[in-house]
Amino acid sequence: MPFGLKNAGATYQRLMDKVFKEVIGQDIEVYVDDMVAKSENGRSHCEALRRVFRILRRHQLRLNPEKCSFGVQAGRFLGYMLTERGIEANPEKCRAVLNMRSPQNVKEIQQLMGKVVALSRFVSRISDIATPVLDTLKKGRNFAWTLECEEAFLRLKAMLATPPILIRPKVGQPLQLYISITENAINSALVQEREKEQCPMYFISKTLQGPERSIIVRTDLPIQQVLRKPDLAGRMVAWSVQLSEFNITFEKRGPIKAQALADFITKLTIEQEQIEGEWYLLVDGSSNQTGSGAGVILEGPNGVLVEQSLHFNFKASNNQAEYEALLAGMRLVLEIEAKRLITKSDSKLITRQVNGEYQAKDPRLAKYKERAKTMAASFESFKLLHVPRDQNKRADLLAKLASTRRGLQRLVIHENINTPKIEKPEVQCNEQGRTWMEPLVEYLKEGKLPVDLAEAGKLRKEAPKYALIGQQLYRRGFSSPLLRCVDPQEAEYVIKEVHEGVCGTHIGGRALAGKIARTGYYWPSLKADCMDYVKRCDTCQRFADNHQAPAEQMHAVMSPWPFHKWGIDILGPFPRAGSPSHLANLSF
């Protein structure tokens, strides 16, 4: 093809990929007109060259002998040094940076950064290190080489004086990816463990620009929990599904086993806030003629503040409202898996009963007391203190607003409770078989996979479609809401209730499955179970609309006059053997 065209390089690269598709990535690597044949020993090297030359001869391609080298232990390819140890930085490029003086103007900074970027894959956290130097290139600023720029420049020189050797990956061994996100850059390091030592394979660093720096997300959730949150946006869901195609496991960072990663891990490990400590819960209940409600305020050791307002859709006394507020607050703390709790209430009766100082003579209050003690036993440390009303003003205000349903604030979590907590039965199942949800729950909660590799891969691909909230599994989709996953026994009850319950209309199987999904339930065999249930429904079989036409014997249709109807059948083609290849059968 003619030279000078914009797509000449891409077209030639596609041609080389097509020509060497049998051996590329195994015996040879090709980039436009640069090729390198690779092998682990001399004997396999000759076999690799034989396969490469056979392909060249087949496609009538020729090599320039003056530009070819055979049997070398090391060589330069695409600006890098390829050796038995791995990929090394070009000494000439490193020497060019080491011999540079401190930049005196913008043009020299551009020359410095151009040389550094060419070696960026050998320098960890290069974007963070070079941030002071890059800031001098911003528009609207006068050139000023500060002390921070000089320190960054000397640090780049020190790291390029002894660049690490990047190893090539071994098939079958896991890869480890370390990720670090700072206010100025995103950094990552890809390593693989060799003889109990983590060896680097690649360093990636990206500088955040403009609006990217203005968005700061602070979270104590690891990436595993972030990608499995139920309220992910569409793009995050797509990323989660794409990442599920790979065999990725999320682990906490362990001990560092390589000096090459010391600098990266030192900056990666930030001082995390101490989230383990005592949590403080303020509760209060209110009951009047217009209604009853409760206010809950939860304060964490790391500055977390949660305010909740509860409105009761049932009649409750003031003491009952106080107990409901206490149970709701304790349930909230258990959901966030806190272990140490100090609860404060302005009700002397409630605090003394729970602490065992007063007896509960009212049967309903006695049930509340037992439920509170049962939940308190779930904490490592639990204290219930009585405080004056003036020290519990905020919770008292939330309770009054909830009871009157006036002045509701958007920053407060609101919830309506239809029945008292003591009236909800606690069902305990002593014998229960393993359901289809347990492998998903174990994987989402503990990262546990089946022993069978095929089942493990299938489970890993299906897991992003589900979310674990508390101890309940939910199915999620791009356009549908969260669907509660149920076991076979619950599924049978759901089908029966929707199909022939109070609002059941004995609809068909497909319509029944769609109605159950809109109601908010899911299990894998939803459609098949609905179709089978409709077939077994006695009412549907007795009174369903069937074909009511009477049966008749088949009889011939007579034509009113000759040639009223024509019919033609064309057969063929047939193999030629001295006879026509097609036949036509005409009837009337």
Side-chain angles (χ1 to χ4, degrees):
M1 63 181 300
F3 291 94
L5 297 180
K6 186 175 182 180
N7 63 337
T11 303
Y12 189 82
Q13 182 64 43
R14 287 197 300 270
L15 175 62
M16 292 295 100
D17 293 342
K18 185 177 181 180
V19 170
F20 295 99
K21 65 179 181 179
E22 300 176 1
V23 295
I24 196 168
Q26 300 177 358
D27 300 330
I28 192 173
E29 300 292 343
V30 182
Y31 181 76
V32 192
D33 58 347
D34 292 334
M35 295 183 295
V36 57
K38 55 185 180 179
S39 59
E40 295 183 355
N41 49 61
R43 184 174 182 180
S44 60
H45 188 62
C46 295
E47 296 294 334
L49 289 177
R50 184 178 291 107
R51 289 189 291 268
V52 172
F53 288 155
R54 188 183 300 116
I55 294 175
L56 292 172
R57 190 178 296 109
R58 185 194 312 161
H59 294 86
Q60 299 181 1
L61 297 177
R62 298 180 180 180
L63 302 178
N64 188 354
E66 299 180 358
K67 297 183 179 181
C68 297
S69 301
F70 299 95
V72 295
Q73 300 295 327
R76 185 180 302 173
F77 183 66
L78 300 180
Y80 302 103
M81 300 300 297
L82 304 182
T83 63
E84 294 181 354
R85 297 179 297 178
I87 303 176
E88 302 181 17
N90 193 337
E92 297 180 358
K93 294 184 179 181
C94 295
R95 207 175 301 117
V97 178
L98 297 177
N99 295 334
M100 288 187 66
R101 65 172 185 177
S102 299
Q104 304 298 323
N105 49 51
V106 175
K107 186 175 181 180
E108 293 184 1
I109 291 181
Q110 293 175 348
Q111 295 175 354
L112 169 64
M113 296 312 301
K115 296 176 181 179
V116 171
V117 169
L119 300 169
S120 60
R121 66 182 299 176
F122 297 93
V123 182
S124 65
R125 298 179 50 256
I126 187 173
S127 296
D128 279 337
I129 298 174
T131 297
V133 181
L134 293 174
D135 289 342
T136 60
L137 298 176
K138 292 183 178 180
K139 295 182 179 180
R141 289 189 179 182
N142 297 328
F143 176 79
W145 187 256
T146 61
L147 182 60
E148 294 181 356
C149 298
E150 184 66 22
E151 292 178 356
F153 179 58
L154 296 177
R155 191 171 183 181
L156 288 173
K157 281 188 173 183
M159 299 188 72
L160 291 176
T162 56
I165 300 175
L166 305 181
I167 64 171
R168 62 185 182 89
K170 284 188 177 180
V171 180
Q173 293 187 4
L175 303 178
Q176 298 179 4
L177 179 65
Y178 292 92
I179 302 175
S180 172
I181 302 176
T182 62
E183 295 181 356
N184 300 321
I186 299 175
N187 310 286
S188 63
L190 185 64
V191 302
Q192 192 174 54
E193 189 169 342
R194 302 282 179 83
E195 298 179 355
K196 297 183 179 180
E197 182 181 356
Q198 292 181 348
C199 302
M201 297 177 55
Y202 206 96
F203 294 104
I204 301 175
S205 185
K206 179 184 182 299
T207 303
L208 300 179
Q209 303 290 340
E212 295 175 340
R213 293 190 179 185
S214 61
I215 301 176
I216 301 177
V217 179
R218 299 186 183 275
T219 175
D220 57 351
L221 296 175
I223 188 173
Q224 176 184 9
Q225 298 182 15
V226 171
L227 292 177
R228 292 171 182 170
K229 289 179 63 179
D231 54 348
L232 292 180
R235 183 176 298 181
M236 292 291 291
V237 173
W239 290 344
S240 178
V241 173
Q242 292 177 3
L243 291 175
S244 65
E245 299 178 3
F246 305 96
N247 187 8
I248 299 178
T249 58
F250 301 91
E251 298 179 356
K252 294 183 179 180
R253 181 176 59 83
I256 307 305
K257 303 179 182 179
Q259 183 63 28
L261 298 177
D263 180 72
F264 180 85
I265 300 301
T266 300
K267 295 298 180 180
L268 183 148
T269 307
I270 60 175
E271 184 177 356
Q272 297 189 3
E273 300 176 356
Q274 183 70 19
I275 60 174
E276 295 214 357
E278 293 182 344
W279 290 71
Y280 294 89
L281 179 66
L282 303 175
V283 296
D284 191 18
S286 176
S287 178
N288 48 49
Q289 295 180 354
T290 58
S292 56
V296 177
I297 300 177
L298 180 62
E299 298 180 4
N302 54 349
V304 175
L305 179 63
V306 180
E307 296 182 345
Q308 190 175 17
S309 177
L310 308 174
H311 177 77
F312 304 140
N313 295 330
F314 55 90
K315 292 183 179 181
S317 63
N318 190 71
N319 293 332
Q320 187 177 353
E322 293 282 355
Y323 264 117
E324 288 285 347
L326 176 61
L327 296 179
M330 296 172 67
R331 187 178 70 254
L332 177 63
V333 178
L334 289 175
E335 289 180 356
I336 62 177
E337 299 181 356
K339 300 300 182 182
R340 304 174 64 184
L341 177 63
I342 297 179
T343 307
K344 298 180 181 180
S345 174
D346 56 10
S347 175
K348 183 181 295 186
L349 176 66
I350 303 303
T351 56
R352 297 292 177 87
Q353 287 183 352
V354 176
N355 291 330
E357 300 177 8
Y358 287 176
Q359 294 182 356
K361 297 182 179 181
D362 189 350
R364 296 181 64 86
L365 296 184
K367 293 182 180 179
Y368 276 111
K369 174 186 174 182
E370 295 300 326
R371 181 66 65 87
K373 285 189 174 182
T374 303
M375 297 181 67
S378 303
F379 298 97
E380 295 180 358
S381 174
F382 176 80
K383 295 181 181 179
L384 180 58
L385 306 178
H386 174 260
V387 296
R389 186 176 296 272
D390 57 353
Q391 297 182 13
N392 202 23
K393 291 182 179 180
R394 180 61 181 172
D396 182 63
L397 178 60
L398 291 176
K400 291 181 178 179
L401 293 178
S403 62
T404 57
R405 288 189 174 182
R406 292 184 300 179
L408 297 180
Q409 302 180 16
R410 294 185 178 182
L411 298 179
V412 179
I413 303 174
H414 304 284
E415 183 180 356
N416 293 327
I417 299 180
N418 297 322
T419 58
K421 296 298 180 183
I422 59 174
E423 293 185 2
K424 294 183 178 180
E426 294 184 356
V427 180
Q428 181 178 2
C429 184
N430 296 326
E431 296 182 1
Q432 184 177 3
R434 187 175 178 85
T435 65
W436 66 273
M437 298 182 291
E438 292 187 11
L440 289 167
V441 173
E442 292 176 354
Y443 177 70
L444 295 177
K445 192 174 182 179
E446 305 174 359
K448 183 179 179 181
L449 288 172
V451 179
D452 189 4
L453 296 180
E455 293 294 331
K458 182 179 179 181
L459 178 62
R460 193 179 294 110
K461 292 181 180 180
E462 289 292 325
K465 302 177 183 178
Y466 297 86
L468 188 63
I469 303 177
Q471 300 296 327
Q472 182 60 48
L473 185 67
Y474 291 87
R475 167 89 176 193
R476 64 183 178 189
F478 291 101
S479 58
S480 60
L482 290 177
L483 305 179
R484 182 177 181 271
C485 298
V486 296
D487 55 29
Q489 295 181 355
E490 294 177 332
E492 185 176 357
Y493 175 77
V494 170
I495 294 177
K496 182 178 180 181
E497 187 66 25
V498 176
H499 182 68
E500 52 182 321
V502 177
C503 300
T505 57
H506 290 272
I507 55 180
R510 289 184 297 178
L512 178 61
K515 189 174 181 180
I516 291 176
R518 291 191 300 271
T519 305
Y521 296 97
Y522 173 81
W523 62 93
S525 57
L526 172 61
K527 294 183 179 180
D529 292 347
C530 290
M531 298 291 290
D532 183 67
Y533 187 86
V534 172
K535 293 179 181 179
R536 293 185 287 105
C537 180
D538 181 71
T539 304
C540 293
Q541 299 301 322
R542 289 177 180 271
F543 303 103
D545 294 335
N546 297 321
H547 187 65
Q548 302 295 336
E552 291 185 357
Q553 294 183 357
M554 298 182 63
H555 57 276
V557 179
M558 302 299 296
S559 299
W561 57 80
F563 305 104
H564 176 260
K565 292 184 179 180
W566 289 75
I568 184 171
D569 296 326
I570 301 178
L571 309 177
F574 300 103
R576 291 183 175 274
S579 60
S581 61
H582 291 77
L583 295 177
N585 182 21
L586 184 63
S587 60
F588 54 86

